[in-house]
Amino acid sequence: MTTLFLLLQAFDQPDAANHPDLYVWTDTCNVYVLRDGDSALLIDLGDGSVLDRLPDLGVKKVDWVLFTQHHREHTQGAPKLKGARVGVPEAERELFENPAKFRRMNVKLSDQFTIHGTSYVRPPIRPIPVDRAFKRMDVFTWKGREIWCVDTRGASPGGMSYLLKEKGRWLAFSGNVMIEGQRLRNWYDAEWDYGFGAGLFGLTNAAGQLQGYDPAWLLPSHGSSIPTPAKALAAYQAKLRTFEKLLLRGYDVHTVSGSWQDKVSRPSEVPHVWRVSKHLYKLRGPNFYPNFYLIVADSGRGLAFDCGLLDEKTFGETLNLMKERLGLKAIDAAVISHMHGDHFLNAPWLRETWGTKIWAIDRMGPVCEFPERFDYCAPIQAYGHKGITSVKFDRLFRDGETFEWEGYKFQIDWMPGQTEFALAMQGMIDGRKVVFTGDNIFGDPDDPTHTGHEAMVAHNSAVLEEGYIYGAEYLSKIKPDIICGGHSYVMDNPAAFIERYRTWAYAMRDMFKEVLADYPYDFDPFWVRAEPYRVKVKRGETVDVDVHIRNFRTRAQKHRIEVHGLPSEPAVLEGELPAETRRPSKIRVRGDGDPGVKIVAFDVTMDGRRYGELFDLIVEITP
C-alpha cells in the first residue's frame, strides 16, 4: 500500500450516532477500533497500517488486539505492535505462537489441520506471542466494557466472535462467519475434511449463535458492516443447509454402501477375486475397498487399472492363485487413475515382482514423480508406505491417445472430477463398453437419490468447470454400458445415473456462485501458487521458484504480489494477465536467517483489491 493511499484513506464509522467511539479501518481486512480516551482496543490488525493513523483519532496507546482468527491477512501487521497485548482463540493459540509447525516438508495423512496432508490453515509467517487465549465462552473486560468471547468456528478451525453490549444492543465482531449478501468469504478456509462438511456445519452453527443475540450490528472482518443482521443470518443458515445437501457425498457412505457396491460381479475360482465379466476381474470383500482391476486376455497376459490399498503378502498369494487357476501369466502394465497415493501405493511392488510397467496421463507425471513440489491432497508420500515418496511412470499418454493390447483397443482420456490430475480408460470388454473412472463417481445407478459424486474438495485442484462438470459431460458423451469406479465400485447400465451426476455438477457450481462473492477465486486455493511449493536452500544461498498466477476472468487482470518472509529478487511481481490464462513468474529466494522451516507469503493485490498474504511457500534453510 503506497504512502499516498494511506494519506487519502480515512476511518469509517458504522454508526457514529449510537457508537461514537467505534471506528473501522480497512486494508487486508477490517480492523475495528474501540476508543476510550487516548487508549484503544483493536479487533484484528490487518497489515498494521492502522497503527500509523490512530493519532488521527487521538489514540496514543493500543492496550489490546483481539484476533478473531489466525489467518495471515488478519495478523500480518503483528511485527509492528509495540506494547499492545494480544488475545486469541485458545483453539488457535499454537497457530499464532508456533506457525512453522503447520508447514511440513514431509507430510502425513494425519497431520493436524490438514486434509490428507494439504493444509487448510494460514498461519502467520512469524510467531506472534499471545498474552491471553480465550476459551469458547470466556468473558473479557476492558475499560469497564464486558466483552463476551463466543466460539464461532467454521471459516477457521478456532474462529471466535467478540460480543459487546452498548445501549442495550449487541455489537458482534464476527470474523469471517458471514459477509454482506449472506455469503461466505471463501470456501477453502471452511474445508476441513475430505468432503464430510465439518467446517460447513461449524459455519451454520456459528451463524445460529450470532442470530440469537439479535445484534444491532454485525461487524465482519471483510466487507461492509451489516445493521440488524438477524434476518440475514437466518437466511444465510437456510442457504448453508441447501448447500450442505449438494456438498455431501452423492451416495450412501459409512452406512450400507458395502451391500450394493457391485451388483454385477460374481466370485471366481480364486478367493476374493470376483469376475465382472469373462475377462475382467476385481478384488472384493466385506469392508474391503482396494484399488485393483485386472483384465486377463485369452493369452493369459494381464492389464491392471490402479494398484493400491493392498496387503502385498496377500496380494502376491492372490496373484499366484490367479496364475494357477485362471491362467494369468503376466501383468504387462498398470494404468493409474489419478494422483492420490492410495491408487498406486502397490504399483512399485508390482513393477518389482512382476515387471509391470506403470502408465498414466501426462498431467499426472509431475505431481506423482515430484509430489513434494505441490500442496494437493493425499500425495503418495503422505501414506508412509515402505518409504515410497514418489513414482516415476514408464509411459505418459496424451488426452485421447489410444493403445492396442492383446486384441483390445483402449483410449486414455483426461477425466477430472474429484481432482484435476486424473484419467479415464475406455474400451470394449466382453461386448460391453467399459470405462474405468477412478474416484470420480460412486453409487447405485438404481437409486434415484444417488447423484454419484465423491468428495467435493477444493484442495484437490477441483474447480467445477474443469472437474466434476467436465467429467460428467465426458461420461454423458461416451455413454458407457458399465462404469468401473475406484475402490471396487462397479456400476451397471448407468445412463440415468450419469444424468443425475451431470445435473448435480451444474447445481453444485451454481450453489458455489450463490454462497461465494467471487467464484471461482473464493473457491480455488491455488489461483496463486508456488512451484515447487517446498524447497530447501543452504543458508546464504538462493533458490528459484515459479509463482503461478491465474486469471479466471474473460478480461485482462492486473496483479501486484509482494513476497514476504525472506529476501526475494524481485521482491514484487507486477503485471497483467490476458483473459483466462495462467502464467508463471520466477522469483529467487535467499536463505537468510537461522536454519529451519520458514514460511514465505505472497501478499496479493488483484485488480486493485487487496487480499493480503493468502498464499505461501515453504522454505527449509539448511546449514
Side-chain angles (χ1 to χ4, degrees), residues 217-281:
W217 286 91
L218 192 73
L219 303 165
S221 293
H222 298 275
S224 300
S225 302
I226 304 171
T228 57
K231 288 183 179 180
L233 286 164
Y236 181 54
Q237 291 167 72
K239 184 187 294 188
L240 294 181
R241 295 309 301 269
T242 302
F243 180 42
E244 167 198 323
K245 291 176 175 61
L246 286 167
L247 179 79
L248 301 185
R249 284 168 167 79
Y251 64 102
D252 299 324
V253 63
H254 296 162
T255 55
V256 297
S257 58
S259 68
W260 49 253
Q261 60 162 297
D262 177 358
K263 300 176 181 179
V264 181
S265 60
R266 293 295 178 264
S268 74
E269 295 83 353
V270 176
H272 313 304
V273 172
W274 288 50
R275 184 181 275 114
V276 181
S277 63
K278 181 180 178 182
H279 295 90
L280 176 58
Y281 298 87

Side-chain angles (χ1 to χ4, degrees), residues 8 20 105 190 214 225 243 324 347 377 387 430 458 493 614:
L8 294 174
M105 296 296 287
D214 188 21
S225 302
F243 180 42
E324 179 185 324
C377 295
D430 300 324
N493 297 314
L614 277 188

Side-chain angles (χ1 to χ4, degrees), residues 169-352:
R169 296 291 303 277
W170 293 96
L171 301 175
F173 301 93
S174 56
N176 286 345
V177 174
M178 183 185 82
I179 63 173
E180 59 187 321
Q182 301 150 37
R183 295 180 186 269
L184 175 60
R185 160 70 171 166
N186 61 48
W187 167 243
Y188 47 84
D189 286 341
E191 190 176 75
W192 302 351
D193 58 22
Y194 208 69
F196 292 102
L200 176 58
F201 295 141
L203 270 173
T204 308
N205 284 322
Q209 281 289 328
L210 292 175
Q211 180 194 353
Y213 285 89
D214 188 21
W217 286 91
L218 192 73
L219 303 165
S221 293
H222 298 275
S224 300
S225 302
I226 304 171
T228 57
K231 288 183 179 180
L233 286 164
Y236 181 54
Q237 291 167 72
K239 184 187 294 188
L240 294 181
R241 295 309 301 269
T242 302
F243 180 42
E244 167 198 323
K245 291 176 175 61
L246 286 167
L247 179 79
L248 301 185
R249 284 168 167 79
Y251 64 102
D252 299 324
V253 63
H254 296 162
T255 55
V256 297
S257 58
S259 68
W260 49 253
Q261 60 162 297
D262 177 358
K263 300 176 181 179
V264 181
S265 60
R266 293 295 178 264
S268 74
E269 295 83 353
V270 176
H272 313 304
V273 172
W274 288 50
R275 184 181 275 114
V276 181
S277 63
K278 181 180 178 182
H279 295 90
L280 176 58
Y281 298 87
K282 55 167 269 188
L283 300 179
R284 176 174 174 176
N287 296 311
F288 178 55
Y289 299 98
N291 289 301
F292 185 70
Y293 291 98
L294 187 64
I295 305 161
V296 181
D298 289 335
S299 65
R301 306 196 73 82
L303 176 69
F305 190 87
D306 280 343
C307 189
L309 293 183
L310 295 158
D311 168 65
E312 287 164 2
K313 180 178 181 296
T314 304
F315 188 31
E317 292 170 353
T318 298
L319 292 178
N320 286 333
L321 278 176
M322 291 185 76
K323 280 175 125 179
E324 179 185 324
R325 300 181 185 180
L326 298 175
L328 178 65
K329 295 178 180 177
I331 301 176
D332 294 333
V335 180
I336 308 304
S337 65
H338 63 288
M339 58 83 63
H340 292 155
D342 58 321
H343 287 256
F344 59 107
L345 285 170
N346 304 102
W349 177 88
L350 203 60
R351 172 191 271 157
E352 180 182 337

Side-chain angles (χ1 to χ4, degrees), residues 342-372:
D342 58 321
H343 287 256
F344 59 107
L345 285 170
N346 304 102
W349 177 88
L350 203 60
R351 172 191 271 157
E352 180 182 337
T353 56
W354 285 71
T356 302
K357 303 297 184 182
I358 307 176
W359 296 349
I361 199 167
D362 49 12
R363 67 177 65 210
M364 286 170 56
V367 295
C368 295
E369 187 172 352
F370 305 104
E372 73 283 353

Side-chain angles (χ1 to χ4, degrees), residues 187-188 191 376-377 456-463 523-526:
W187 167 243
Y188 47 84
E191 190 176 75
Y376 302 129
C377 295
M456 179 71 252
V457 180
H459 288 83
N460 270 325
S461 188
V463 173
F523 171 87
D524 182 20
F526 305 117

Side-chain angles (χ1 to χ4, degrees), residues 429-591:
I429 303 174
D430 300 324
R432 304 191 75 192
K433 189 171 190 178
V434 180
V435 61
F436 298 85
T437 57
D439 284 356
N440 287 326
I441 181 169
F442 292 138
D444 180 0
D446 299 329
D447 187 336
T449 68
H450 283 198
T451 52
H453 70 283
E454 172 58 358
M456 179 71 252
V457 180
H459 288 83
N460 270 325
S461 188
V463 173
L464 271 296
E465 290 84 351
E466 53 206 44
Y468 281 119
I469 288 176
Y470 188 103
E473 292 288 3
Y474 167 80
L475 290 176
S476 183
K477 179 180 178 181
I478 69 169
K479 295 179 170 56
D481 298 311
I482 190 166
I483 296 173
C484 291
H487 302 279
S488 295
Y489 281 77
V490 176
M491 293 152 275
D492 195 21
N493 297 314
F497 184 43
I498 290 169
E499 184 55 32
R500 294 196 299 272
Y501 178 68
R502 179 177 173 275
T503 299
W504 165 83
Y506 284 99
M508 185 78 263
R509 189 272 311 273
D510 293 345
M511 194 73 229
F512 272 115
K513 287 184 175 182
E514 176 65 22
V515 169
L516 301 172
D518 191 13
Y519 175 88
Y521 290 93
D522 296 343
F523 171 87
D524 182 20
F526 305 117
W527 61 270
V528 175
R529 66 174 182 85
E531 186 180 337
Y533 178 66
R534 298 173 181 87
V535 294
K536 292 186 178 183
V537 60
K538 290 183 179 179
R539 187 176 183 180
E541 297 186 5
T542 61
V543 61
D544 288 345
V545 175
D546 286 328
V547 180
H548 291 254
I549 308 161
R550 183 163 190 182
N551 179 6
F552 286 105
R553 305 199 191 285
T554 55
R555 56 170 174 76
Q557 168 185 292
K558 293 182 179 180
H559 61 266
R560 173 184 169 84
I561 301 175
E562 298 179 9
V563 183
H564 295 169
L566 287 174
S568 168
E569 179 60 40
V572 178
L573 297 172
E574 200 159 10
E576 182 172 289
L577 278 181
E580 298 178 329
T581 59
R582 60 176 109 198
R583 179 185 298 162
S585 296
K586 195 171 294 296
I587 61 172
R588 181 162 291 173
V589 179
R590 190 169 72 244

